[in-house]
Amino acid sequence: MKNFKISLCEWRAEIDVFHGANCISLKNERYGASILREPPESGELDNPYLYGMPILFPVNRIEGGKFEFEGREYIFPINEPRTGCHLHGELHRMAFEVAEQSDSKIVCRYKADSGEYLGFSHAFEITQEYELKGDGFYHTVTVRNLSDENMPVFLGFHTTFNTLFTENSLPENIRVYADIAEEYERNMEINYLPTGVKPDFDDVSASLSGGTYKPFEGKTSRHYRGQGKMSLTDVSRGLRTVYENDEKYGFRLIFNGGDEGYICLEPQTCLANCQNSPFSRSESGFDYIAPRASKTYHSRIYLEES
C-alpha cells in the first residue's frame, strides 16, 4: 500500500487513503516548513489522532454512545470504556477510494449502506478533496445523506500541527492564536464532557484569543465556541501558519502537547456530547442533513509573513 502525493510550486502533500484519507504530510519548500505532525516511518502510532488531520465522524464523545433524534434511537459502540463514551467514530481507520487525482489534487470517497458503518442507520457518502493552489492547501469535505430520513451529522478533524513548523524555529518564539468566543467547561476527572458551565476567560483563554499563547510552557485541553482562523506564529521569523475554517465549524477543541512539539487545532461542527448536552441542541451545534441532500465544509491552510 502506498500513499498518494500531490504537489504544486513549493507545496507538497501526502494522503493516506487507506486510513481515513488522512493528509499526513504538508510541506512548503520555500519556507522550509513542515506543517503537520507526521507519523513515524515505522507506521506504529502511539495515538491515531495525533498525526496529520484524521477525520472524526461522529466527532468527540457521545455519553453512553447513544441518543435520540426524531423518535429514532442511535447507538454507537462504547470505544472508550474508561469514560463510558463513544469517541470520534472509526472513519479515520477506514479505506477511502480515489475518485479523482491530478498532480495537485485528489478526491477520496467513502460510501456506506444503512447499518454498515458502526450500525449507523443511514446510507451516506463522504468525500474529501485536497487541492494545492498557489496560495495554500484547500480541504473540502462533502457529506451526502443517501437515506430517506433526516441524517444527524457531527464532523470534525483532529488536525495536529508541528509547533516548530520550520527548520529554524525555537520553542520560545512560537505563539498560538484562536478565534474563540466562549469556553465550555468539561469534567476532566471523569469523562471530559461539558458540565453546563461557561467560565470567564482565564489567562490561557485570553492568551489564545490575543495570539500570545506559548505552547511550550505547559499542556492544555480547552473546548470553545468559535469560528474563523487559528494560527501558529514564529515571531522571530515573522512567519505564520494559518488554519482557516468556514462557519459550519462552529466549535474548536485545542489540545496542546507542550514540550512534545505538537498542538491540535481541531475544527468541529458541534459541542462535545451535543446529542445529550446540558445546553440546547441549537446552542450545541446539533445538525442534520435532509434526505438525498448534502453539506459541504471548507478549510484552508496557508503561510503568511507577519
Side-chain angles (χ1 to χ4, degrees):
M1 298 188 298
K2 67 172 185 176
N3 297 329
F4 286 76
K5 298 180 180 180
I6 56 176
S7 62
L8 181 72
C9 301
E10 70 262 25
W11 289 97
R12 304 287 183 269
E14 185 173 343
I15 292 87
D16 182 352
V17 300
F18 305 101
H19 298 90
N22 183 1
C23 180
I24 58 171
S25 176
L26 179 63
K27 298 179 184 296
N28 183 285
E29 294 182 346
R30 175 186 175 189
Y31 292 104
S34 183
I35 294 169
L36 296 176
R37 188 180 191 228
E38 300 179 15
E41 291 186 7
S42 67
E44 296 295 323
L45 305 182
D46 53 351
N47 185 319
Y49 304 119
L50 297 183
Y51 301 92
M53 47 193 309
I55 187 171
L56 312 177
F57 185 82
V59 64
N60 231 306
R61 291 176 173 84
I62 301 174
E63 185 177 14
K66 63 177 64 176
F67 63 94
E68 290 188 2
F69 174 59
E70 295 186 340
R72 299 183 294 274
E73 185 175 42
Y74 293 80
I75 301 176
F76 290 90
I78 303 300
N79 59 1
E80 193 180 50
R82 182 171 64 87
T83 65
C85 294
H86 177 81
L87 174 65
H88 288 334
E90 296 292 331
L91 200 58
H92 64 280
R93 303 182 190 273
M94 303 297 187
F96 279 57
E97 66 171 323
V98 177
E100 178 185 343
Q101 186 187 13
S102 67
D103 289 344
S104 59
K105 177 180 175 181
I106 187 170
V107 180
C108 306
R109 179 190 299 126
Y110 178 88
K111 188 175 181 180
D113 293 330
S114 174
E116 183 178 356
Y117 177 69
L118 301 179
F120 191 49
S121 60
H122 301 271
F124 69 94
E125 178 183 275
I126 292 182
T127 60
Q128 295 199 70
E129 176 185 304
Y130 299 105
E131 185 172 11
L132 294 173
K133 300 182 181 181
D135 60 348
F137 170 82
Y138 287 76
H139 182 207
T140 303
V141 184
T142 300
V143 183
R144 294 180 176 85
N145 178 7
L146 304 179
S147 75
D148 296 321
E149 298 173 312
N150 290 330
M151 183 184 87
V153 59
F154 320 109
L155 178 67
F157 288 85
H158 213 290
T159 309
T160 306
F161 291 86
N162 287 318
T163 42
L164 301 179
F165 60 93
T166 73
E167 297 168 352
N168 300 315
S169 294
L170 297 174
E172 61 267 25
N173 294 327
I174 304 300
R175 305 291 184 270
V176 179
Y177 165 78
D179 194 347
I180 51 177
E182 296 179 294
E183 182 183 1
Y184 288 84
E185 179 188 81
R186 291 173 296 150
N187 189 329
M188 304 301 286
E189 303 299 323
I190 299 176
N191 55 17
Y192 308 102
L193 300 181
T195 64
V197 174
K198 293 190 285 187
D200 294 335
F201 275 14
D202 62 6
D203 290 345
V204 170
S205 297
S207 64
L208 283 167
S209 180
T212 60
Y213 180 73
K214 300 178 180 180
F216 284 90
E217 291 191 350
K219 295 184 178 182
T220 193
S221 179
R222 301 293 183 104
H223 200 8
Y224 297 100
R225 174 185 301 280
Q227 59 188 31
K229 296 179 181 180
M230 297 179 277
S231 66
L232 285 161
T233 300
D234 184 329
V235 295
S236 68
R237 292 199 60 184
L239 187 65
R240 178 177 296 126
T241 294
V242 181
Y243 191 23
E244 186 175 72
N245 313 111
D246 76 20
E247 70 280 355
K248 296 186 190 71
Y249 294 108
F251 295 83
R252 276 88 175 77
L253 200 146
I254 297 175
F255 176 73
N256 173 33
D259 59 10
E260 295 178 52
Y262 68 84
I263 187 167
C264 302
L265 303 177
E266 306 174 39
Q268 304 182 350
T269 63
C270 59
L271 187 68
N273 198 34
C274 73
Q275 304 85 352
N276 309 294
S277 177
F279 304 99
S280 69
R281 284 190 166 179
S282 175
E283 177 173 351
S284 300
F286 189 106
D287 197 15
Y288 65 88
I289 300 175
R292 310 295 168 175
S294 65
K295 289 191 176 183
T296 299
Y297 308 81
H298 300 277
S299 294
R300 178 166 71 115
I301 298 175
Y302 58 95
L303 294 173
E304 66 179 12
E305 296 179 2
S306 61

